[in-house]
Amino acid sequence: MAKVVRLLAVLLPLLPAALMAPAAAQPARPSWTGSWETAPSGTAAALPGAAFRNVVHLSVGGTAVRVRLSNRLGTRPLRLGAVTVALRAAGPAALPGTLRTATFHGAPEVTVPPGADTVSDTVPLPVPTAADLLVTVYTPDDSGPATYHRTALQTSYLAPAGAGRAADEDGTAYTLTTSRWYYVTGVDVRGPAAGSVVAFGDSLTDGNGSTPDTNRRWPDRLAQRLRGHRLGVLNAGIAGNRLLRDGTGPSALARLDADALDRAGARALVVFEGINDIKGTPQAYDPAAYADAYRTLVARAHARGIPVVGVTLTPYGGYPAWTLAGEEVRLRVNAFIRTGGAFDAVADADAAVRDPADPTRILPAYDPGDHLHFNDAGMAAVADTVRRALTRRSVALLPPGKEPTDPGHSAAVAPHLSETFTTPKTTG
């Protein structure tokens, strides 16, 4: 027994250093890792006979993919007549030679029960990091309300007469555009990826305020900063979502498993949620309720072996729903996030984006004009703050050190899209 005690005394101090080793130092093993995600946020009317060509931006690459599709918010069985995946060339057009048919238990069609999700078989398509993928879904029947994600901030495409069009490489049949993602909720990759970070929150995570069609949400920026570590980033933000009760989409506590903990390769959870409870109707002004909810989220993640980063709630002074009472609640909730001991690490986004001249407000340089959300620069500031939190020893996900260089973004700015389908300026 004395030998065992002495051996433990030698080994235990070495464990944190081993856990903090860069992902690249660990052997690469083929496994499934989430590379892209969106969370179901509502439903829209079905479009029988249409093919939806969703454009999604992967965070990490692999040697094969599988897609996740959802009828979680539907009320009738959903028949998917065809599902294809392809690397995108431009617009709705596939890169020649990359289009593949997704199957489900070997069949090209699948029916998804109401309230359920499904995952395709392995699709043998190598995909690079930061690739745009086309996930096309053909729905031949009226299957009732279509599960979708409202705030995509990404142009996707629709072929109204979709029979046979899921297999089209060219985009000429896809004559309408949409700013929503229909049915698709995730893409997993197989290969050397080291796992994924799940960004779990509301519109601040969903990307409101950032430039559409440029992938400048803070989870996208974080994915750029983590590329050297082979880590994916999954965006489980829903604009209008709430921590304590259902709002837009189920509450954080209700959707935690499906949108975060059950995702392939999840290695860390970043929780940035609560401002809609403070400013929403009805307002939630009891800080103890937030503390209890955060503790519950953390306990459930820890039961899966997943560490949790808590993000402080950012200012919203100047937003129409701001009140002095709500500001007091925000400060007390932030005090708990910082010092309550519930989280494995804290990303102090409040400190990163607030205006020193008026801490109730976002810095003008980060404010898109509504005094609540972040512009592209503000999104980058939040990403940097979360990235630093992931170096904390208790998270054991990233080694501390110099921040990687931001590889930059396209300067193209797409116009905001309407809530319904519109005719694109180009279809190529």
Side-chain angles (χ1 to χ4, degrees), residues 94-352:
L95 190 67
T98 67
L99 193 139
R100 306 283 190 275
T101 297
T103 59
F104 303 83
H105 301 289
E109 294 191 14
V110 67
T111 298
V112 187
D117 297 343
T118 192
V119 181
S120 76
D121 301 331
T122 300
V123 180
L125 175 65
V127 292
T129 294
D132 279 352
L133 198 69
L134 303 176
V135 181
T136 305
V137 179
Y138 167 56
T139 54
D141 309 319
D142 184 353
S143 299
T147 295
Y148 78 131
H149 183 88
R150 182 185 183 93
T151 312
L153 297 174
Q154 172 66 60
T155 303
S156 290
Y157 303 89
L158 174 79
R165 297 304 184 182
D168 286 359
E169 283 191 342
D170 68 83
T172 55
Y174 291 85
T175 56
L176 300 177
T177 66
T178 179
S179 58
R180 302 166 174 174
W181 284 308
Y182 280 80
Y183 301 113
V184 62
T185 59
V187 177
D188 301 335
V189 297
R190 191 170 66 184
S196 58
V197 177
V198 183
F200 191 71
D202 49 39
S203 60
L204 302 176
T205 298
D206 209 358
N208 292 46
S210 66
T211 304
D213 288 319
T214 60
N215 303 303
R216 295 184 184 179
R217 313 163 191 86
W218 75 255
D220 298 316
R221 293 295 190 111
L222 180 64
Q224 290 181 320
R225 286 146 174 78
L226 300 185
R227 283 176 190 168
H229 303 282
R230 297 185 288 110
L231 287 164
V233 177
L234 303 180
N235 190 334
I238 297 178
N241 201 231
R242 297 178 68 149
L243 176 69
L244 304 176
R245 61 188 298 144
D246 292 346
T248 302
S251 72
L253 291 171
R255 69 187 185 92
L256 179 64
D257 286 353
D259 289 343
L261 304 184
D262 290 346
R263 293 289 168 155
R267 289 188 57 197
L269 175 67
V270 180
V271 176
F272 188 11
E273 186 134 35
I275 199 68
N276 286 327
D277 298 86
I278 294 175
K279 71 176 185 60
T281 304
Q283 297 98 335
Y285 280 179
D286 180 9
Y290 293 81
D292 289 344
Y294 290 138
R295 289 192 186 100
T296 299
L297 288 170
V298 172
R300 287 168 58 184
H302 283 179
R304 303 283 194 95
I306 299 174
V308 186
V309 175
V311 184
T312 51
L313 304 184
T314 47
Y316 68 113
Y319 188 74
W322 185 91
T323 64
L324 186 59
E327 178 67 10
E328 175 64 23
V329 174
R330 186 182 73 87
L331 295 177
R332 293 178 66 184
V333 171
N334 280 349
F336 173 80
I337 293 171
R338 291 186 182 106
T339 65
F343 295 100
D344 299 289
V346 173
D348 200 343
D350 172 40

